[in-house]
């Protein structure tokens, strides 16, 4: 398979998991009611675990290989501060978009990095695409539910999710053509995004994952992280 075809297929499948997760979330009223609550909170936790695995196993390791220590510290601090400011803006606007922001802050740098990996002819592109896809599915589910609870219509949410999916190949091409020869920029971007994701997980996603009188949903975070760990182990 030539690199361009591989790029299109990998990024399209990875991005397509976002609206697919939204479609699954659009099926309301799982019965009985307690099962719906358990399922929803477990998926939220799973998405949080998947985000943490992206930070610990993909973004930070890859990013720190490309930039110096002082650059890593600067990029990480800047990412946390910027996402803190973004959260303040979201709170003031009363927007239910934290899951969406977390999803995109994860998806954008990873799919750009995927394009750069394919351009460089390095191994692991298929595996990275699979990890991104499996992360986007629960994240799309969680973001749909959060935006729906904020009053946005299902049709509008799925429209914007589809737009995000279409951006996948475009962002992949940007990484393929622009960042393959700019490793420092890619490293800064990955570490910056990792810090922002970490902030959002502990600020918004983790509190939503717990459910009174049930200890099961947080287990989803364990298996979400295990997903990324399994993918990382396969790389070796």
């Amino acid at each position: 398979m030539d690199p361009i075809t591989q790029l299109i297929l990998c990024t399209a499948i990875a991005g397509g998991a976002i609206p697919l997760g939204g479609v699954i979330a659009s099926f309301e009223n799982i019965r009985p009611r307690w099962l719906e609550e358990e399922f929803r909170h477990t998926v939220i936790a799973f998405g949080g675990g998947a985000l943490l695995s992206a930070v610990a196993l993909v973004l930070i390791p890859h990013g720190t290989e490309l930039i110096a220590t002082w650059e890593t510290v600067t990029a990480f601090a800047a990412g946390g501060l910027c996402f803190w400011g973004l959260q303040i803006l979201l709170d003031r606007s009363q927007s239910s978009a934290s899951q969406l922001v977390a999803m995109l802050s994860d998806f954008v740098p990873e799919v750009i990095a995927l394009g750069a990996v394919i351009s460089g002819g390095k191994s692991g592109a298929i595996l990275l695409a699979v990890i991104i896809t499996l992360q986007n599915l629960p994240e799309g589910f969680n973001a749909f539910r959060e935006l729906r609870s904020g009053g946005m219509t299902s049709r509008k949410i799925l429209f914007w999710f589809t737009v995000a999916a279409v951006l996948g190949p475009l962002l992949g091409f940007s990484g393929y053509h622009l960042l393959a020869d700019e490793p420092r920029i890619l490293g800064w971007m990955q570490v910056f995004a990792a810090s922002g994701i970490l902030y959002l997980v502990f600020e918004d996603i983790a509190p939503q994952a717990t459910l009174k009188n049930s200890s099961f949903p947080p287990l989803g975070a364990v298996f979400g992280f295990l997903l990324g760990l399994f993918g990382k182990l396969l790389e070796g």
Side-chain angles (χ1 to χ4, degrees), residues 14-91:
I18 296 174
L20 178 59
V23 169
I24 295 173
S26 67
F27 292 97
E28 303 281 353
N29 301 323
I30 302 172
R31 300 299 180 188
R33 180 68 179 179
W34 67 267
L35 181 59
E36 178 181 1
E37 289 293 312
E38 291 268 354
F39 179 75
R40 181 168 61 86
H41 284 76
T42 300
V43 173
I44 290 174
F46 184 88
L51 285 167
L52 285 176
S53 74
V55 170
L57 304 173
V58 179
L59 295 174
I60 290 294
H62 290 182
T64 54
E65 287 179 358
L66 302 175
I67 57 178
T69 300
W70 72 267
E71 292 176 299
T72 299
V73 173
T74 303
F76 197 85
L81 290 171
C82 285
F83 276 77
W84 170 61
L86 178 60
Q87 187 64 46
I88 291 175
L89 292 177
L90 290 174
D91 291 341

Side-chain angles (χ1 to χ4, degrees), residues 138-159:
E139 290 164 21
F141 180 98
N142 293 337
F144 180 95
R145 286 295 181 97
E146 186 177 49
L147 292 171
R148 190 73 185 89
S149 66
M152 188 178 291
T153 64
S154 298
R155 181 175 297 181
K156 189 173 183 179
I157 297 171
L158 291 176
F159 170 77

